[in-house]
Amino acid sequence: MSSLLHKTCVCIVLLLVMPLCRAQSYGPAHADWTIPIAPFRIADNLYYVGSKDLASYLIVTAKGDILINSSLVSSPQLIRNSIQQLGFRLSDVKILLISHAHFDHDAGSTELLRLTGAKYMVMDADVPVVESGGAKDFAYPDDHYPPAKVDRILHDGDQVRLGDAVLIAHKTPGHTRGCTTWTMRAVSGGKLRDVVIVGSWNVNNGFRLVDRSGHPASYPGIAADFQQTFAVLKSLPCDIFLGAHGSYFNMLAKLDRAKAGAEDAVWIDRNGYRIAVAEHQRAFEAELKRQQSVTGASAP
Ligand SMILES: [Zn+2]
């Protein structure tokens, strides 16, 4: 074959194949993820230092502070400003945690670790994703961000302690393999309250829950993982309902009520938590049923 003819054939093949090779990316960041809001106290030593929808939490202790979620690559500056507005210092952050290894919760980690020297603690099954800068994520391997070294690998039920703060890491997989729901106790209204920070309960577009011929599940066991996650979430005692996004727990509406005089009591929402878990379980089960009904699907 002549060189010209060979190149022409290669080009034609590429033109035919390229539309089939879609980028495996979540897509652009939502506007609400980068809009600053005034930081606020939720209870006792627990503060919100995130953006309008991307949640970051600061737990303040006499031995230093814990930060949950570094968020986007661009978020550390917003988080630093929020911490300073509350009268605290970013340099006091000794431990960095995340809700799960997606770029909207962990892409800022490298920069935050550089700024603080904090120890990075991540649930076992999310560690390869964090340390590969997103490349090993089952759904979005094209969402690259700076890889970060994990200092402590967490396992389901592990405690993270600093000063008088104790956080428990509950493995709630499905959305990512190492998705983590954090619980702790904090005083609000003069009483000790159970706090739940939901890692995620969402079946995103494109997640494959069942095996079909030629199209395996997003990862082996993903449907069973989601089922286990809902069992865990239903078992957790919850007074103060929080999550990885403000939208999980209706944060903006509650914030309006807090400013209107309801104050810290607005975050106590046992019923809202139960309803939200049940709604997301129903959504998962409906999606599982829909995928199972597609010809060629086998049970998870
Ligand atoms: Zn996510």
Side-chain angles (χ1 to χ4, degrees):
M1 192 184 294
S2 78
S3 160
L4 181 62
L5 184 58
H6 179 79
K7 280 178 186 164
T8 306
C9 288
V10 168
C11 288
I12 289 169
V13 167
L14 281 175
L15 283 171
L16 289 172
V17 168
M18 276 173 71
L20 302 174
C21 302
R22 281 182 296 154
Q24 292 181 289
S25 166
Y26 177 86
H30 299 198
D32 281 357
W33 292 357
T34 51
I35 296 173
I37 60 166
F40 56 92
R41 198 178 83 118
I42 296 164
D44 199 7
N45 59 340
L46 171 62
Y47 298 85
Y48 186 89
V49 293
S51 66
K52 196 172 176 186
D53 186 56
L54 273 188
S56 291
Y57 301 94
L58 187 73
I59 296 108
V60 175
T61 88
K63 294 281 173 63
D65 304 338
I66 299 172
L67 179 68
I68 303 179
N69 289 333
S70 60
S71 302
L72 303 165
V73 166
S74 64
S75 299
Q77 191 58 46
L78 183 153
I79 293 168
R80 186 218 292 257
N81 291 345
S82 296
I83 290 174
Q84 287 175 347
Q85 279 180 56
L86 290 167
F88 303 118
R89 293 184 306 191
L90 183 69
S91 57
D92 285 337
V93 172
K94 304 297 180 205
I95 296 174
L96 176 63
L97 309 173
I98 56 169
S99 290
H100 61 263
H102 277 162
F103 76 104
D104 50 336
H105 307 292
D106 72 345
S109 292
T110 302
E111 177 65 359
L112 273 172
L113 294 169
R114 189 185 69 78
L115 291 170
T116 61
K119 298 288 181 210
Y120 197 19
M121 304 184 185
V122 176
M123 184 61 77
D124 43 23
D126 268 358
V127 170
V129 180
V130 164
E131 293 197 332
S132 66
K136 292 193 176 170
D137 184 61
F138 70 80
Y140 310 123
D142 294 333
D143 282 336
H144 293 163
Y145 47 83
K149 179 85 184 68
V150 172
D151 297 294
R152 179 184 165 195
I153 298 172
L154 300 171
H155 306 287
D156 186 27
D158 275 358
Q159 293 186 351
V160 171
R161 291 174 171 266
L162 186 67
D164 55 0
V166 182
L167 279 87
I168 301 174
H170 301 269
K171 196 170 182 175
T172 47
H175 184 80
T176 66
R177 291 183 193 228
C179 185
T180 308
T181 292
W182 290 101
T183 62
M184 60 178 282
R185 288 182 138 184
V187 174
S188 175
K191 288 185 183 168
L192 199 56
R193 312 283 186 175
D194 287 307
V195 180
V196 177
I197 304 173
V198 174
S200 180
W201 36 34
N202 290 324
V203 180
N204 284 14
N205 285 338
F207 280 21
R208 295 184 307 275
L209 301 174
V210 298
D211 288 320
R212 288 173 56 205
S213 48
H215 297 278
S218 291
Y219 70 85
I222 183 172
D225 272 0
F226 269 110
Q227 278 155 345
Q228 170 66 11
T229 285
F230 286 110
V232 169
L233 293 177
K234 283 200 279 193
S235 75
L236 296 175
C238 176
D239 301 309
I240 294 176
F241 168 29
L242 305 169
H245 289 269
S247 54
Y248 285 14
F249 58 100
N250 210 10
M251 182 183 79
L252 296 178
K254 286 176 176 169
L255 200 49
D256 284 345
R257 282 169 38 216
K259 287 176 187 163
E263 299 185 342
D264 288 359
V266 80
W267 307 112
I268 297 171
D269 188 11
R270 300 175 198 94
N271 212 32
Y273 175 73
R274 272 198 300 274
I275 291 168
V277 171
E279 275 177 1
H280 287 85
Q281 184 170 21
R282 277 198 296 276
F284 157 73
E285 283 168 356
E287 178 60 16
L288 179 61
K289 211 168 174 184
R290 189 191 70 75
Q291 292 192 21
Q292 284 171 333
S293 70
V294 175
T295 313
S298 59

